[in-house]
Amino acid sequence: MHFHFSKRYKLLFDFSLWFLFSSVVLRIIFVVWQFSEVNTTVFGVVKTILYGVFFDTGVLSLIWLLSSFYLLFVPTKWIGSWADKAFVYFFFTLSLLIFVFTFFAEITFWDEFKCRFNFVAVDYLIYTFEVIHNINESYPLIILVPSMLLITAGLMYLFSKRSSFTATFSAKPTFKTKLLYFSISVFVAGFYASAVTNADAEWSENRYNNEISKAGIYSFFAEFRNSKLDYETFYTTIPTDVAFAAVRASLKNSKMQFDADSIAIRRTITDTAASEQRPNVIFVLMESMSANFMQEFGNEKEITPFMDKLAQESLLFSNLYATGTRTVRGMEAVTLSIPPTPGSSIVKRPENSNLFTIATVFKQKNYQCNFFYGGDGYFDNMNAFFGGNGFDIYDRGRGSILSDKIKANRNTISDEEVTFENAWGACDEDVYSKLISVADTYYAEKKPFLNFVMTTSNHKPFSYPEKKITIPSGTSRNGAAQYADFALQQLFEKAKTKPWFKNTIFVVIADHCASSAGKDEIDVANYHIPVMIYGSNIKPQKVSKLCSQIDVFPTLFGMLNWSYESNFYGQNVLENAFEPRAFLGTYLKLGYMKNNEIMILSNQKKQHFYSWNKATNELTKIPMNASFLKESISMYQTADYLFTHKKLEEK
């Protein structure tokens, strides 16, 4: 069949050229932005651009598929009619505006996350209240919105001057020609949909080059597939019984006894050293509080004076690492004490209620468990997860309701209790005030309590009450971190006036770091978080063992001499038999670190083994270690198995 270019498709061709040109310009902007960290050799930059054009073509294949479908079935006599013009003008203008908006959005997304659209961008479509208000408070929309409209209008004028519309409405190709265009579009779009994954852009050892190679829109739609990744399909596996045997061997110590089921890790931990202690527990999960904000870990800007003081008065874990890069990962780690599973956190998964969590253990000890959040806890599915796993809820309650299956009590933080609020919710001081009032209530009832609070202030737009600290509100991440430190100090000062204070343990920990971006597959330093356990009977000391977020509560239970049933991967770091290791993951990469060596499992059934230089935060590939690989696979494979086979549930 002889191919003949039809001017009916001129608008599509001109749009494609504009899109490819704009995408290349955007990549050059990103290369300059990260110039010191990107592979900027001629070969590296050219390959980045060429890979990018390949993925841009994938985006265009969908545009061509939809457009050629319309053009195929429009009768020849309707070409150029008012109906044809109205349809084309409307959808072309709308599409152009969407693409212009996407380019703007990619720049702001890169500014915050240093990557192309990922699962976070998909989530942002769901939680519109928080996201729209955050954008409004973080960026000058009064400039951005008119700019996007002006650019779209300018492009429409440009296409008009190039006679793109005139040609499209005057040319009358044969049905055979239209069928050829449509068939090619189907073939190309089908090829990309069936054979090209977003991971195919990861050609380099430099993460920045890989991210710049991707196309934002292609990445966005790829994430709809990745909210839950089947471990056995995408990751290297070993026999299930072998994997569980390896994990059970790593967990075994003299204080525990496994249940009979060998394809499980459920066990009984018995502590005979002393009588159990039953203090109240206030657990503060601090938003984005990286270890490197603290003077204790080398920061000289005096951002966290109270936390630095608290570190000297607490049991401080100086070498502890978060399991992920998002709040829901931190929540998953501390409540379920489990390595990160591929895809979305269990906090956001369906069928995640009635699991064996820290609340299971606390309730067996007759504790009241409460979850506090300054925003609406429907965000990131927090209310459903905590409410479905033994916690009562205290949040802003902007209208979302819990499922009828969830029996937790939900309590609203009222307008009268809020002195300052931004897109993400009430400021930390207000949430702490609510926490203290609830603590007073349960103390009066002689009921020990676990008050678990998730803070919000250390988050873009970095706004907080005026005149609390020296850094003006809304100006910087350092200001938000300093306010979070100030608010934590207010919590402690108010708590010290309460009769329950002396019998209360405070655990202060970050959910994740403020940034996770780096040139390597996993940026290890950006998982380092502070953890402090404070109480009147706790001797201040520094624990330098390598450990994980998942170890925090098992360690606390050991400090309290608790005997309890466990379904946790976390262990008591203070035990002599504890073997230092940490879990570090993204939603696709799963890292397991021991002795400054890290195994990274990827969703292409591939794995890489690195040596980590802590001083320079650089990963260097080293020869594969078969036993280390087996142990790494065992940890992650079994964690995924337990959840998918409903073995994380309470008995």
Side-chain angles (χ1 to χ4, degrees), residues 137 374-375 396 398 415 418-427 430 463:
E137 294 173 6
R396 285 291 277 143
R398 293 192 180 105
D415 292 344
V418 176
T419 62
F420 179 89
E421 191 166 22
N422 64 16
W424 300 104
C427 66
D430 293 336
S463 57

Side-chain angles (χ1 to χ4, degrees), residues 22 77 138 153 158 190 258 281 334 343 399 437 444 466 477 535 558 570 603 606-607 632 642:
S22 300
K77 64 180 179 180
S138 302
L158 178 65
F258 280 109
V281 178
V334 297
S437 69
E466 295 286 358
R477 165 76 77 176
N603 61 317
K606 295 179 181 178
Q607 38 276 329
S632 304
L642 290 180

Side-chain angles (χ1 to χ4, degrees), residues 277-284 358 362 365 367-372 391 435 438-439 442 447-453 491 500-508 532-535 538 552-553 556-557 559-560 562:
Q277 303 172 50
R278 302 285 177 91
N280 307 305
V281 178
I282 292 179
F283 186 86
V284 183
I358 56 170
F362 275 100
K365 307 296 182 183
Y367 276 70
Q368 170 63 34
C369 300
N370 303 306
F371 171 69
F372 298 82
F391 288 83
L435 179 151
V438 173
Y442 286 105
K447 179 87 169 178
F449 56 81
L450 164 64
N451 280 354
F452 185 124
V453 58
L491 167 63
W500 44 261
F501 175 77
K502 288 186 177 180
N503 189 39
T504 299
I505 287 178
F506 292 78
V507 182
V508 178
M532 291 161 281
I533 301 179
Y534 173 91
I538 294 177
V552 174
F553 273 103
L556 178 63
F557 296 155
M559 293 169 65
L560 299 178
W562 282 8

Side-chain angles (χ1 to χ4, degrees), residues 280-290 294 306-307 310 314 320 327 330-331 334-335 358 362 370-374 386 391 427-436 439 449-458 481 483-493 495 500-501 504-512 529-534 549 552-553 556:
N280 307 305
V281 178
I282 292 179
F283 186 86
V284 183
L285 191 60
M286 301 188 75
E287 173 68 48
S288 304
M289 187 55 74
S290 310
M294 296 178 62
F306 176 72
M307 291 179 66
L310 187 66
S314 305
L320 188 145
T327 295
M331 291 177 167
V334 297
T335 57
I358 56 170
F362 275 100
N370 303 306
F371 171 69
F372 298 82
Y373 180 64
F386 282 93
F391 288 83
C427 66
D428 291 353
E429 287 177 276
D430 293 336
V431 181
Y432 291 150
S433 294
K434 185 67 174 181
L435 179 151
I436 287 174
F449 56 81
L450 164 64
N451 280 354
F452 185 124
V453 58
M454 177 70 225
T455 73
T456 61
S457 292
N458 190 15
Y483 170 72
D485 178 75
F486 168 83
L488 185 68
Q489 181 179 13
Q490 301 308 301
L491 167 63
F492 272 73
E493 289 184 357
W500 44 261
F501 175 77
T504 299
I505 287 178
F506 292 78
V507 182
V508 178
I509 181 175
D511 56 352
H512 56 82
I529 57 173
V531 181
M532 291 161 281
I533 301 179
Y534 173 91
Q549 257 177 332
V552 174
F553 273 103
L556 178 63

Side-chain angles (χ1 to χ4, degrees), residues 212-371:
I212 296 171
S213 296
K214 295 174 183 177
I217 295 174
Y218 200 95
S219 296
F220 180 84
F221 284 103
E223 294 314 309
F224 283 108
R225 293 170 154 180
N226 291 340
S227 61
K228 179 186 176 300
L229 290 175
D230 180 70
Y231 188 94
E232 292 190 0
T233 301
F234 292 98
Y235 294 84
T236 303
T237 59
I238 59 178
T240 301
D241 59 337
V242 174
F244 273 99
V247 173
R248 287 161 69 97
S250 73
L251 296 173
K252 190 172 180 59
N253 64 52
S254 59
K255 290 186 176 182
M256 48 133 312
Q257 179 66 46
F258 280 109
D259 287 5
D261 184 359
S262 63
I263 308 299
I265 64 167
R266 197 178 293 265
R267 60 206 185 276
T268 300
I269 295 175
T270 304
D271 194 311
T272 58
S275 59
E276 292 190 354
Q277 303 172 50
R278 302 285 177 91
N280 307 305
V281 178
I282 292 179
F283 186 86
V284 183
L285 191 60
M286 301 188 75
E287 173 68 48
S288 304
M289 187 55 74
S290 310
N292 62 18
F293 281 123
M294 296 178 62
Q295 189 177 58
E296 174 70 30
F297 299 105
N299 193 302
E300 298 178 354
K301 297 180 180 179
E302 297 185 358
I303 296 171
T304 59
F306 176 72
M307 291 179 66
D308 285 310
K309 177 176 178 290
L310 187 66
Q312 309 309 315
E313 302 170 351
S314 305
L315 177 63
L316 171 69
F317 295 87
S318 62
N319 200 18
L320 188 145
Y321 290 79
T323 63
T325 61
R326 292 206 64 207
T327 295
V328 287
R329 275 298 181 209
M331 291 177 167
E332 173 189 79
V334 297
T335 57
L336 290 166
S337 189
I338 191 173
T341 51
S344 292
S345 162
I346 291 173
V347 173
K348 293 174 64 66
R349 300 260 194 102
E351 300 182 31
N352 66 357
S353 58
N354 301 314
L355 303 180
F356 191 98
T357 69
I358 56 170
T360 307
V361 179
F362 275 100
K363 285 186 173 294
Q364 289 172 355
K365 307 296 182 183
N366 198 36
Y367 276 70
Q368 170 63 34
C369 300
N370 303 306
F371 171 69

